[in-house]
Every structure is written in C-alpha cells, then in structure tokens.
C-alpha cells in the first residue's frame, strides 16, 4: 500500500514538474496542476485559492474534481479577526507553512468542518504559494478518506508547492519584463515600441476599410521649467496627470502613448473627414490639457 501511495505521489510530482517547465501562464499552470492532482493523484478535489491583497480574503481561482458548489459556500480569509480567517487556511498562509487535516470529523481547528464532511471529504492539505517571500494564496488537495496524508507524502507535496512557487516567481518576472518592453512605467501608457506596432496595424486596417487615421503629437512646452524649479517628482506628477486626462478624454478605440520625456502621441482611428480631427483636437484633447 505504501508503494502504491508513493507511486501515485511521484506520478503527480512528475506531471506537475513537467507542466512547470512548459507552461508560462499562471492560470494555465494552475489548471494543469489541479487536473494532474485529480486524474493522476486520486484526489477528490484540487483547487487554488488566491489572496486578495486588499480584503485579505481567499477566493477560489481554479479547481478540478467533485466541487458541487462547495467552494462557493466557503468564506476564507487570512485575517485573524474574521471568522473565515481562524481556520487552517488563514493559518497556513499567515505562517507560510503547510497545514494537514487528516481527520475532518474531529479537527477543532476547522471553520468549515461540517461543510467539508457533507461534501464527502475526510482529509485535506493546505499548501501556501509564495512569490518571493510573500504569500499569494494556497493550493488545496482533498481526499475522501481520513488519514490520507502520511509524513512522506506531506514532505513531497511541500517540496512540490515550493517548485510551483518558484515557477510563479519566474512567470511574474517574465510578465514584468514584457510589460517594461511595451509600456511606460510612469504613466502606464504604451511606449514607442508598442505604439509603432499598433500604428502599422491601424494603417493596414484603414487601407482595408477605406477609412483614415490621424496622428497627433503633443509636446508639453516649458515642461523643463517644472523639473528645474519644483523637482523631478513634480514633473512626474504632471506627466501622470496629463496622461490621465488624455486617457479620460479620448474614446478607447483611439491609441494614446508616451514616446519621449514630455512627448505624447495620439493615433485617431476611423476618421471619415478632416473636420472630425479638428473637433477632437479642440473639444477633447485641448480641453483636457489646457486647464
């Protein structure tokens, strides 16, 4: 029985580590982890709960198995002063250590023990997921039988959670690099590279639809005076404010970007006549930035 158990666990480890190597999207990785845990690991339910940094609640993100509305009925948190935060989920994420429940029927730590039993689960494990040293949520494996998790299995699953956490950190760094390649960090607007790509796409579409595009370049005059007299933070605040006002003034179909220190560009699409460009310039763009 021990050999069968370990073979099952190693099958899960092998499958998930293979997924970690080939999958570079967080949501897709979560789906594959849950699928392997249920199909190869024999767990009745596997799910990932993500931590909402604002509310400190744990919300189900991805799951596989016999869920039957069980996750929707649970209210979990990491706040010790909240009812849903006094159970094992909150404890696992706060301490960054796995928590095993091998006897759902008699474990006094559980907040949703009766609900868990009614859903057909006798034991489960909560494995915190970290990016760097900060928890982002937890991975849950549920089994029908009590006493499902022995010491060796817990050790292996804890190592597995560490591998997944490492992969999540890599994915986040990759996403950050992709963001930096295409977006201006200060304003959140597309940068020159992304703008150039979108211009090419828009011009091609305009030729196909027999419509026009217009390019508007906004250079903030005397901007250097703000930096020189009030300091760089004040200049950055002005740029963010200009970006916010332009974004608010323009329809979403038009493209706004920052391509230089104080240089903004706007690509107006689906233009039928020149008067339309003048109207947008006078009534929307100039009104937004002239205050």
């Amino acid at each position: 029985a021990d050999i069968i158990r370990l073979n099952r666990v190693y099958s899960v480890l092998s499958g998930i580590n293979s997924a970690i190597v080939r999958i570079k999207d967080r949501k897709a990785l979560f789906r594959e982890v849950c699928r392997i845990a249920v199909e190869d690991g024999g767990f009745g339910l596997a799910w990932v709960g993500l931590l909402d940094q604002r509310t400190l609640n744990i919300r189900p993100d991805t799951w596989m198995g016999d869920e039957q509305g069980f996750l929707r009925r649970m209210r979990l948190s990491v706040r010790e002063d909240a009812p849903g935060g006094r159970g094992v989920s909150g404890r696992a994420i706060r301490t960054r250590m796995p928590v095993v429940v091998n006897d759902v029927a008699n474990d006094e730590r559980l907040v949703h023990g009766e609900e868990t039993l009614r859903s057909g689960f006798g034991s489960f494990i909560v494995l915190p997921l970290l990016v760097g040293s900060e928890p982002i949520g937890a991975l849950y494996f549920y089994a029908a039988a009590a006493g499902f998790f022995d010491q060796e299995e817990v050790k292996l699953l804890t190592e597995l959670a560490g591998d997944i956490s490492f992969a999540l950190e890599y994915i986040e760094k990759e996403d950050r690099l992709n963001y930096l390649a295409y977006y201006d960090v200060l304003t959140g607007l597309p940068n020159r590279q992304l703008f150039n790509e979108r211009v090419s796409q828009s011009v091609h579409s305009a030729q196909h639809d027999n419509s026009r595009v217009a390019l508007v370049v906004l250079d903030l005059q005397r901007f250097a005076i703000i930096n020189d007299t009030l300091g760089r933070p004040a200049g950055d605040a002005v740029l963010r404010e200009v970006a916010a006002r332009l974004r608010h003034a323009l329809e979403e179909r038009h493209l706004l970007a920052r391509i230089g220190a104080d240089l903004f560009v706007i690509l107006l699409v689906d233009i039928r006549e020149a008067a339309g460009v003048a109207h947008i310039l006078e009534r929307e763009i100039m009104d937004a930035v002239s205050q």
Side-chain angles (χ1 to χ4, degrees):
D2 287 343
I3 293 175
I4 294 174
R5 178 191 293 264
L6 284 177
N7 282 341
R8 174 180 53 77
V9 177
Y10 282 124
S11 176
V12 170
L13 295 179
S14 175
I16 291 178
N17 280 321
S18 174
I20 286 171
V21 171
R22 72 176 190 275
I23 297 175
K24 304 306 178 188
D25 174 77
R26 189 172 82 166
K27 184 78 171 181
L29 178 60
F30 288 159
R31 282 197 299 266
E32 187 67 357
V33 166
C34 292
R35 185 195 68 77
I36 292 170
V38 171
E39 294 183 2
D40 298 342
F43 295 105
L45 173 66
W47 66 283
V48 174
L50 293 182
L51 177 62
D52 186 321
Q53 299 293 341
R54 184 178 59 85
T55 65
L56 297 183
N57 292 332
I58 304 165
R59 59 173 180 81
D61 178 80
T62 309
W63 60 86
M64 183 72 69
D66 194 14
E67 191 264 337
Q68 299 179 1
F70 169 59
L71 299 180
R72 291 192 297 274
R73 294 190 291 272
M74 288 202 298
R75 296 291 181 268
L76 300 177
S77 172
V78 299
R79 291 175 50 191
E80 292 186 85
D81 60 343
R86 299 184 188 124
V88 295
S89 289
R91 181 177 305 181
I93 293 177
R94 284 194 303 271
T95 62
R96 299 165 173 77
M97 295 292 292
V99 176
V100 180
V101 175
N102 258 329
D103 187 2
V104 170
N106 298 298
D107 197 316
E108 296 180 352
R109 299 172 298 172
L110 300 184
V111 176
H112 300 284
E114 292 184 7
E115 186 69 43
T116 305
L117 273 178
R118 281 197 298 271
S119 298
F121 304 122
S123 55
F124 67 94
I125 186 171
V126 186
L127 300 157
L129 297 174
L130 311 177
V131 171
S133 60
E134 292 304 310
I136 65 158
L139 175 61
Y140 298 75
F141 293 149
Y142 285 72
F148 191 85
F149 301 93
D150 64 13
Q151 186 174 356
E152 180 67 16
E153 183 159 358
V154 171
K155 177 176 178 292
L156 292 171
L157 292 177
T158 301
E159 292 175 1
L160 174 65
D163 292 340
I164 296 171
S165 294
F166 182 81
L168 294 175
E169 185 172 2
Y170 175 83
I171 289 171
E172 185 168 287
K173 287 179 179 177
E174 192 80 0
D175 288 344
R176 178 66 176 167
L177 288 174
N178 289 336
Y179 178 86
L180 292 174
Y182 288 102
Y183 288 90
D184 169 46
V185 176
L186 181 64
T187 63
L189 296 177
N191 62 15
R192 182 187 293 271
Q193 181 172 342
L194 180 54
F195 183 77
N196 288 343
E197 292 182 9
R198 295 279 175 83
V199 167
S200 297
Q201 295 167 2
S202 297
V203 169
H204 178 76
S205 297
Q207 289 173 336
H208 183 267
D209 299 336
N210 198 28
S211 63
R212 298 177 181 178
V213 297
L215 186 67
V216 178
V217 180
L218 290 178
D219 184 4
L220 302 184
Q221 298 298 308
R222 299 183 295 279
F223 176 74
I225 296 174
I226 297 173
N227 278 339
D228 293 343
T229 58
L230 300 177
R232 180 71 176 272
D236 288 349
V238 168
L239 292 171
R240 283 192 293 266
E241 180 66 19
V242 170
R245 291 186 183 189
L246 289 172
R247 188 188 282 118
H248 180 73
L250 292 165
E251 295 180 27
E252 286 189 8
R253 61 197 178 101
H254 302 311
L255 177 63
L256 169 66
R258 179 184 176 220
I259 63 169
D262 58 353
L263 196 61
F264 294 85
V265 286
I266 302 165
L267 184 71
L268 303 174
V269 299
D270 196 24
I271 300 298
R272 299 301 172 184
E273 54 186 14
V277 178
H279 175 81
I280 294 173
L281 270 172
E282 294 174 8
R283 298 292 181 87
E284 298 178 19
I285 296 174
M286 296 313 297
D287 279 356
V289 297
S290 64
Q291 297 174 32

